Amino acid sequence: MTLSLEDLADSPHFKEHAGLADPGRLHPARLPGTTPDELAAAVEDPELPTAERLAAGHVLGLLGDPRIPSPTSGAGPATRHVPGGRIRIGLPADEAGYVTNAWAHVGVEESWILKECPEHTVEIADFWIATYPVTNGEYRAFLADTGLEERPTTWYLGAYPWDRSNHPVAGVRPEHADAYAAWLTERTGHPWRLPAEAEWEHAAKGPEGLPYPWPGGFDPEAANTRESGVHTTTPVGAFPAGRSPYGVHDMGGNVEEFTADEYAPYPDGPYVADHLVQSMGSYRIARGGSFARFGDLTRTRRRHGAFPGPLYPVGFRLATSEQPS
């Protein structure tokens, strides 16, 4: 008997994705001679060469990373406290031309930078932001528990990348990032959410208002961007020179991160109908840059978003207004 197209669509044989891989079958307890805690320390050791930090992180991806508690255990992510106050956000309009010229070699246009203008003051309450972006392993737990069928676009053929369990998840939609935060809130009993755009910027640039999450100018050793030469995601925390003033990792490079806010002009600033608006109309603001893009996106004031397509795989990190236990 020949199956109809409708029968084929319902057949398990033609289901697009296989079941999610079981971490218990894939992560050994340890490797001889090296403890996970020693490897975790090595990943974030700025004295080690990049290759050694990455190797330590990749092994932890196989072992299971002690820096990242399982969401199903009822534990939330590691966090850093960010003091609030009256915070200056954005870029003075007279600096837009300078920034554009500084990054003209990678095709930056002034209209993109004008989205950051003008500099203005916002009131921000104290908050806590996750030390690392949400990882593939954490997101896998969310998918398995909720039954959400849509997989991250960076998961080849929809398969959980068990060897990259401690890499940031990327290629998700903002509504699924919101759903993850709501799920973890229910799981832990603690209120988790995505950071507001102004909170994200404040956590990245610190009290001195740094142009990048690290002191000085752009540094390819401090961020996993195109300039780093890695050209794929890396284990979280593997670029410790890029740690923000509040001790937050990967706020420049690795993967861009959704915030809680849709794009809107700053007070008295221009509405910039750039390629993102032309492609999508409204869009969720993303921050921080990624392995797939140039270092201009690691600027702490840079406002961006996720274009449809493989060049813009965006992830996220969590925040909370209440001190985690």
Side-chain angles (χ1 to χ4, degrees):
M1 182 180 70
T2 302
L3 295 177
S4 67
L5 291 176
E6 290 78 9
D7 292 332
L8 290 177
D10 293 334
S11 169
H13 186 80
F14 290 93
K15 188 174 182 180
E16 182 176 357
H17 294 148
L20 290 162
D22 179 1
R25 292 178 56 84
L26 300 169
H27 298 303
R30 64 186 298 271
L31 290 182
T34 308
T35 70
D37 287 340
E38 290 170 336
L39 290 167
V43 174
E44 299 182 17
D45 185 347
E47 300 301 318
L48 291 178
T50 300
E52 292 184 20
R53 296 196 309 272
L54 293 181
H58 291 319
V59 173
L60 278 180
L62 300 171
L63 293 176
D65 196 321
R67 300 173 299 162
I68 306 165
S70 171
T72 56
S73 70
T79 60
R80 298 288 181 171
H81 176 236
V82 182
R86 289 175 56 81
I87 309 300
R88 297 293 284 173
I89 295 296
L91 183 74
D94 60 3
E95 295 184 19
Y98 169 80
V99 172
T100 304
N101 290 335
W103 286 99
H105 63 287
V106 297
V108 169
E109 298 182 11
E110 187 168 16
S111 63
W112 305 348
I113 306 304
L114 288 174
K115 285 192 289 188
E116 305 168 21
C117 303
E119 187 179 35
H120 58 287
T121 300
V122 299
E123 291 277 359
I124 296 178
D126 284 19
F127 66 100
W128 288 259
I129 192 164
T131 308
Y132 313 105
V134 172
T135 63
N136 286 315
E138 291 172 297
Y139 200 78
R140 180 225 166 269
F142 161 68
L143 294 181
D145 200 44
T146 62
L148 178 67
E149 292 190 356
E150 185 172 331
R151 307 284 173 87
T153 59
T154 56
W155 289 14
Y156 179 63
L157 298 181
Y160 165 55
W162 50 271
D163 55 334
R164 295 184 170 210
S165 63
N166 60 351
H167 290 223
V169 70
V172 301
R173 291 194 278 149
E175 56 266 35
H176 292 155
D178 293 335
Y180 180 96
W183 168 78
L184 192 64
T185 296
E186 183 178 357
R187 266 283 182 179
T188 63
H190 185 91
W192 297 101
R193 57 180 174 79
L194 268 61
E197 183 185 10
E199 290 177 326
W200 197 102
E201 181 174 319
H202 178 39
K205 69 187 184 185
E208 296 181 4
L210 298 177
Y212 299 90
W214 53 86
F218 177 71
D219 180 1
E221 296 299 317
N224 178 12
T225 63
R226 279 192 177 183
E227 291 89 347
S228 76
V230 177
H231 303 314
T232 186
T233 59
T234 46
V236 296
F239 283 77
R243 189 165 40 201
S244 87
Y246 293 114
V248 187
H249 284 274
D250 294 311
M251 298 199 88
N254 216 353
V255 298
E256 271 192 276
E257 302 172 12
F258 285 121
T259 69
D261 296 318
E262 297 283 317
Y263 167 66
Y266 285 153
D268 299 320
Y271 178 82
V272 178
D274 61 6
H275 303 92
L276 285 161
V277 169
Q278 295 166 24
S279 299
M280 296 178 290
S282 63
Y283 63 91
R284 187 79 69 91
I285 287 288
R287 293 287 196 124
S290 77
F291 73 91
R293 311 308 301 154
F294 291 108
D296 63 291
L297 288 173
T298 66
R299 293 180 49 253
T300 55
R301 293 162 175 81
R302 186 78 150 85
R303 311 178 76 194
H304 200 237
F307 275 105
L311 282 180
Y312 294 87
V314 178
F316 63 102
R317 78 174 70 223
L318 298 180
T320 178
S321 300
E322 298 181 14
Q323 183 173 4
S325 57

